[in-house]
Every structure is written in structure tokens, then in C-alpha cells.
Amino acid sequence: MSLPFPPQIERVLYTEEQIDERITQVAAEITARYRDRNLKLIGVLKGSVFFLTALARRLEIPVKIDYLAISSFSASKTVPGVVRIAKDLDEPIEGEDVLVVEDIVDTGLTLRYLLQTLAGRGPNSLGICTLLDRTSRRLVHVPVEFRCFEIGDHFVVGCGLDYKQLYRNLRYLAVMKLESKG
Ligand code: IMP
């Protein structure tokens, strides 16, 4: 069963099968890296929820899961925004091996802020795992350790990614018809 193809969708970028296959591969890498450690996945609401769930189900190690939400304010699309935590984690992360799970790393501004904030809480390690990585628009360096797909400069929805809060529930990743050019 699949959803009707929405009119604002230009084309499918990755199918459900391709996404599943790639998440399985990345989950195996994470399992190997974090075996015998205290892994905690931190999901950034709301976009990472679908990806985090799919990833966590494929990990062959016990993990803790926590979530936080970020708000960003920007005067314009080209001016870097101000980021703040809108909903904090429920539990401390001191001494834990933390993997921040994102839907997409774009400019990197959100994650830079997040990593700085979380680093101050004394985790044993702090890494990044993202479904999508768009390095062409990066403004600040962030150390992405695990990524499923590198994508070009088009606006993508599905698998948790939204356009005006819609399309998060698409099982595939798709390019929107209106092109986002920063
Ligand atoms: P960054 O701070 O520029 O790296 O912003 C990352 C955030 O921007 C992601 O967590 C998404 O919420 C949003 N975002 C960036 N590109 C897209 C896209 O193509 N589709 C949907 N959301 C996007």
C-alpha cells in the first residue's frame, strides 16, 4: 500500500527499498562501532523521528533514546539564524556515548549549536548520524560520522522531512516542485 503521489512532488529521489537498505548498512556500522559501550540516540524533533525509529530497530546493541526540539529564527534565508533548544532532553548525558540523529544536515548551524551545548554536559563521546547530508550548502564544519545519503541542492520531503509540516509520512524521499535555492 502506498500514499497517492502528491501533486507538489516532482520526483522520487530514493525509494522505500533503497532507504531501508541504506539504513540497514549504516545500522551495521553503528552496531560495530558502539558494541560494549553506552549508546544513547538523541533525536532532533520532529524531522528525525522516522529515521531514528528505523535505525534503532536495526541496531543489534541495547540503546537509550531521548529527544530534543530546536527552534531557529532567521531574518532571511541567506542570513544564518539564531538557534535555541525549545524542548530539552529528559535525562542527563554525562558519561554516555551520544549519537545525535538528524534528518538532514544543511548549513550545519543547528548541529553546531547543538554539539556545543551537549558537549558542555560531559558525554563520553558525541557523534552525528544523519539521513541526508547536503554538504554543498554547509556554512560551518560539523563532524558527520554516519550518513545515509549525500544529496544535491533541492528541497526534499518524506521520511520525516517536511514542507510546511506536510509530507513527513511519505515512505520515500522526494524532491519538491518548488526548488529551494537558499
Ligand atoms: P541546518 O541548520 O541548516 O543544517 O538545518 C537543518 C534543518 O533544516 C533540518 O533539520 C531540517 O529541519 C531543515 N531542512 C533543511 N533542508 C531541508 C529540506 O530539503 N527539506 C526539509 N527540511 C530541510
Side-chain angles (χ1 to χ4, degrees):
M1 192 191 81
S2 61
L3 292 168
F5 206 73
Q8 275 180 295
I9 301 300
E10 183 180 288
R11 65 189 162 91
V12 174
L13 195 58
Y14 293 105
T15 63
E16 185 179 357
E17 291 70 28
Q18 289 172 314
I19 296 163
D20 284 352
E21 192 183 329
R22 188 66 192 118
I23 293 177
T24 301
Q25 289 169 353
V26 170
E29 290 173 30
I30 295 172
T31 295
R33 178 84 65 88
Y34 289 92
R35 205 177 282 288
D36 302 324
R37 291 166 69 182
N38 304 310
L39 180 59
K40 177 177 275 184
L41 302 178
I42 292 184
V44 184
L45 296 170
K46 304 170 192 162
S48 74
V49 170
F50 290 76
F51 173 47
L52 186 147
T53 303
L55 183 73
R57 287 163 60 98
R58 289 168 174 81
L59 294 175
E60 293 174 13
I61 47 174
V63 290
K64 293 180 182 172
I65 297 175
D66 205 345
Y67 293 95
L68 52 72
I70 293 286
S71 296
S72 44
F73 309 90
S74 182
S76 87
K77 281 187 175 173
T78 50
V79 177
V82 178
V83 183
R84 69 171 182 88
I85 292 183
K87 179 231 169 280
D88 209 336
L89 298 171
D90 290 334
E91 304 282 343
I93 56 170
E94 193 175 349
E96 294 183 309
D97 292 299
V98 170
L99 199 52
V100 177
V101 180
E102 260 285 25
D103 53 355
I104 180 168
V105 186
D106 189 28
T107 63
L109 291 168
T110 307
L111 271 177
R112 183 179 64 171
Y113 166 80
L114 209 54
L115 291 183
Q116 282 171 351
T117 305
L118 296 178
R121 299 182 185 185
N124 186 49
S125 67
L126 197 50
I128 298 171
C129 174
T130 187
L131 177 63
L132 303 177
D133 197 358
R134 194 192 282 124
T135 53
S136 60
R137 280 174 39 96
R138 198 74 99 246
L139 293 177
V140 293
H141 171 73
V142 283
V144 176
E145 296 189 67
F146 304 96
R147 102 193 55 183
C148 291
F149 303 104
E150 163 90 43
I151 62 162
D153 193 10
H154 26 242
F155 196 85
V156 174
V157 293
C159 294
L161 288 101
D162 73 303
Y163 174 69
K164 297 184 178 177
Q165 299 301 327
L166 284 173
Y167 306 126
R168 292 191 197 276
N169 60 322
L170 294 178
R171 294 185 185 185
Y172 48 86
L173 282 160
V175 176
M176 290 289 295
K177 267 187 187 146
L178 51 155
E179 289 278 292
S180 166
K181 294 285 177 188

